[in-house]
Amino acid sequence: MRSHERLRLDLAERSYDILVGDDLLGQAGQHIAPVLHHKRTFIVTDETVAGLHLTTLERALADAGITFEAAILPPGEQSKDFSHLASLCERLLDMKVERGSTLIALGGGVIGDLTGFAAAVLLRGIDFVQIPTTLLAQVDSSVGGKTGINTRHGKNLVGSFHQPRLVLADTGVLSTLPRRQLLAGYAEIAKYGLIGDADFFAWLEGHGSAVIDGDPAARRHAVRTSCAAKAAIVAADERESGTRALLNLGHTFAHALEAETGYGDELLHGEAVAIGMVMAFELSARLNLCPWEDVARVRRHLAAIGLPTGLETGLDADRGGRFWNAANLIDHMSRDKKVKGGRLTFVLARGIGQALLRDDVEAAEVEALLTAAVAE
Ligand code: NAD
Ligand code: GLY
């Protein structure tokens, strides 16, 4: 079997390859060399990932005759802000980054989003390569060119579409990722099945535990299928004027839950997405779009994998004993950046693998759903 698989995200002159394999970090130099203008690179990573994987990347770059310097940030969402963006840009300028230089983002979605945005604005735009090291980053954030930072007004409110030149998704590096982070990434994998690929969802029902438990072939299949799905959607609608919004299945609910918990460790993004996807299916069933059996199937699978599926699970005493309030959640949703003329666009489903966009959902339906969810 080949050591990796190659997918293509087709965007005319901004097209790029996504490689998925078990040992790509150790061969990174040979894969990155062809996309460089000159052999001078700048690695951006966080302290945790640096301790685990930076040496392997540095060795691989050196083997290919590529020079590098590294900027290492603190781990966590707090690094995705104006102050860290500013210090990162100043540091890269101190290191004499040039128009022809390439940044390499080695890390999860935080490092990928921040590095991509730095690349978008430094010297009016330079190249960058994504080496995602979390499951979430491998199946979602490293692909598609959304880059940005958070502000005190909310998440990802300052940013840019800036596509990477290459994505190297090495499933081998996931061996060091904590299980809770793996599960959070898995929610985004399940999302691709729920949006548009019922066969993939059925495969996940049979093989999801193997993906989480580290079976190499299962992990690779899940990452490859997810990246292929995302690449097709982004190629069709890079700037999210239509179909790309389907990738937000469950996210409107998830963002309200995350806003309420302060975007911290109490509830990870993927955990909120798992709960949000169940809510999106339930809302679809309440609107008679989707059979209730499908809602039960979604809930059953996510719960079997170990993800929270409702407000009664996952946020109990050992994580702070939060009590939810439907009015607060509705208030967060009304501030969502997808509100247009007072109406939210929801990603709903006619069934597993059949997502659709609707901007005509009555507020009362959403309130009823959340009130029932809070009371459970
Ligand atoms: P993260 O980048 O904070 O990584 C999670 C934790 O795992 C960090 O502490 C990190 O140090 C650690 N880590 C990373 N790789 C590791 C490894 N291999 N072994 C051990 N530890 C490792 O979080 P994330 O979940 O990867 O990304 C979340 C971010 O992604 C959010 O800011 C979100 O807004 C963004 N996001 C962006 C997009 C997009 O399209 N651009 C899509 C989804 C999410
Ligand atoms: N994560 C959603 C998107 O990339 O559009």
Side-chain angles (χ1 to χ4, degrees), residues 103 105 111-121 126 128 130 147-148 160 162:
L103 306 187
I111 288 296
D113 281 11
L114 179 68
T115 309
F117 190 41
V121 294
I126 64 172
F128 81 116
Q130 289 270 21
T147 73
S160 166
H162 187 55

Side-chain angles (χ1 to χ4, degrees), residues 140 146 230 240 244 247-248:
D140 189 0
K146 280 190 182 174
K230 180 146 187 192
E240 199 169 310
R244 185 166 180 168
L247 294 172
N248 298 327

Side-chain angles (χ1 to χ4, degrees), residues 231-250:
I233 289 175
V234 173
D237 177 24
E238 182 186 13
R239 298 262 166 164
E240 199 169 310
S241 46
T243 346
R244 185 166 180 168
L246 293 175
L247 294 172
N248 298 327
L249 175 70

Side-chain angles (χ1 to χ4, degrees), residues 181-196:
Q181 293 286 350
L182 274 172
L183 289 171
Y186 186 90
E188 302 285 358
I189 293 178
K191 181 184 78 179
Y192 295 108
L194 295 176
I195 292 172

Side-chain angles (χ1 to χ4, degrees), residues 72-99:
I72 303 176
L73 289 108
E77 195 68 37
Q78 297 75 9
S79 289
K80 228 180 90 172
D81 68 357
F82 274 117
S83 75
H84 288 88
L85 174 73
S87 54
L88 174 62
C89 288
E90 295 290 4
R91 173 120 171 74
L92 291 165
L93 291 164
D94 288 343
M95 295 193 236
K96 305 260 184 300
V97 66
E98 296 171 12
R99 271 259 169 90

Side-chain angles (χ1 to χ4, degrees), residues 24-357:
L24 287 165
L25 194 61
Q27 311 156 7
Q30 74 191 61
H31 296 301
I32 292 174
V35 304
L36 299 180
H37 297 291
H38 58 71
K39 291 196 162 185
R40 185 134 187 267
T41 62
F42 298 87
I43 303 165
V44 183
T45 188
D46 73 32
E47 286 154 9
T48 306
V49 178
L52 295 164
H53 300 295
L54 182 57
T55 310
T56 310
L57 174 60
E58 289 180 338
R59 246 187 239 131
L61 294 174
D63 286 350
I66 299 169
T67 65
F68 53 82
E69 286 174 80
I72 303 176
L73 289 108
E77 195 68 37
Q78 297 75 9
S79 289
K80 228 180 90 172
D81 68 357
F82 274 117
S83 75
H84 288 88
L85 174 73
S87 54
L88 174 62
C89 288
E90 295 290 4
R91 173 120 171 74
L92 291 165
L93 291 164
D94 288 343
M95 295 193 236
K96 305 260 184 300
V97 66
E98 296 171 12
R99 271 259 169 90
S101 308
T102 298
L103 306 187
I104 301 175
L106 174 71
V110 164
I111 288 296
D113 281 11
L114 179 68
T115 309
F117 190 41
V121 294
L122 262 174
L123 307 174
R124 300 208 173 85
I126 64 172
D127 285 351
F128 81 116
V129 166
Q130 289 270 21
I131 307 188
T133 63
T134 62
L135 187 56
L136 180 136
Q138 294 193 351
V139 300
D140 189 0
S141 60
S142 65
V143 174
K146 280 190 182 174
T147 73
I149 56 171
N150 309 323
T151 85
R152 67 185 169 80
H153 292 278
K155 286 243 307 172
N156 302 321
L157 291 181
V158 172
S160 166
F161 286 95
H162 187 55
Q163 299 293 341
R165 295 281 288 121
L166 176 72
V167 179
L168 296 181
D170 179 350
T171 50
V173 302
L174 301 177
S175 62
T176 57
L177 192 66
R179 189 176 176 85
R180 192 172 165 213
Q181 293 286 350
L182 274 172
L183 289 171
Y186 186 90
E188 302 285 358
I189 293 178
K191 181 184 78 179
Y192 295 108
L194 295 176
I195 292 172
D197 190 343
D199 289 346
F200 182 48
F201 188 78
W203 181 88
L204 289 172
E205 288 176 310
H207 299 85
S209 313
V211 174
I212 294 298
D213 292 342
D215 177 87
R219 258 192 196 169
R220 201 157 129 166
H221 179 72
V223 173
R224 194 196 66 76
T225 307
S226 301
C227 288
K230 180 146 187 192
I233 289 175
V234 173
D237 177 24
E238 182 186 13
R239 298 262 166 164
E240 199 169 310
S241 46
T243 346
R244 185 166 180 168
L246 293 175
L247 294 172
N248 298 327
L249 175 70
H251 284 56
T252 298
F253 293 110
H255 288 154
L257 301 175
E258 289 181 275
E260 185 66 357
T261 50
Y263 297 99
D265 273 358
E266 192 181 345
L267 185 68
L268 299 180
H269 175 68
E271 294 170 336
V273 167
I275 299 171
M277 291 193 300
V278 174
M279 287 180 168
F281 266 75
E282 190 175 329
L283 182 57
S284 306
R286 282 170 174 262
L287 296 171
N288 293 320
L289 278 172
C290 166
W292 281 99
E293 300 91 86
D294 282 11
V295 185
R297 211 175 134 196
V298 176
R299 193 189 289 271
R300 197 162 52 239
H301 176 57
L302 296 176
I305 283 295
L307 279 160
T309 57
L311 300 185
E312 74 289 2
T313 54
L315 292 173
D316 41 22
D318 59 328
R319 293 216 207 135
R322 174 173 295 276
F323 291 97
W324 297 99
N325 176 312
N328 288 353
L329 296 176
I330 289 160
D331 185 51
H332 289 304
M333 289 172 85
S334 70
R335 293 166 203 270
D336 193 290
K337 59 181 185 284
K338 293 184 290 298
V339 173
K340 275 191 207 136
R343 279 194 178 272
L344 262 170
T345 299
F346 279 93
V347 186
L348 299 178
R350 292 193 198 286
I352 287 170
Q354 301 172 64
L356 72 157
L357 299 172

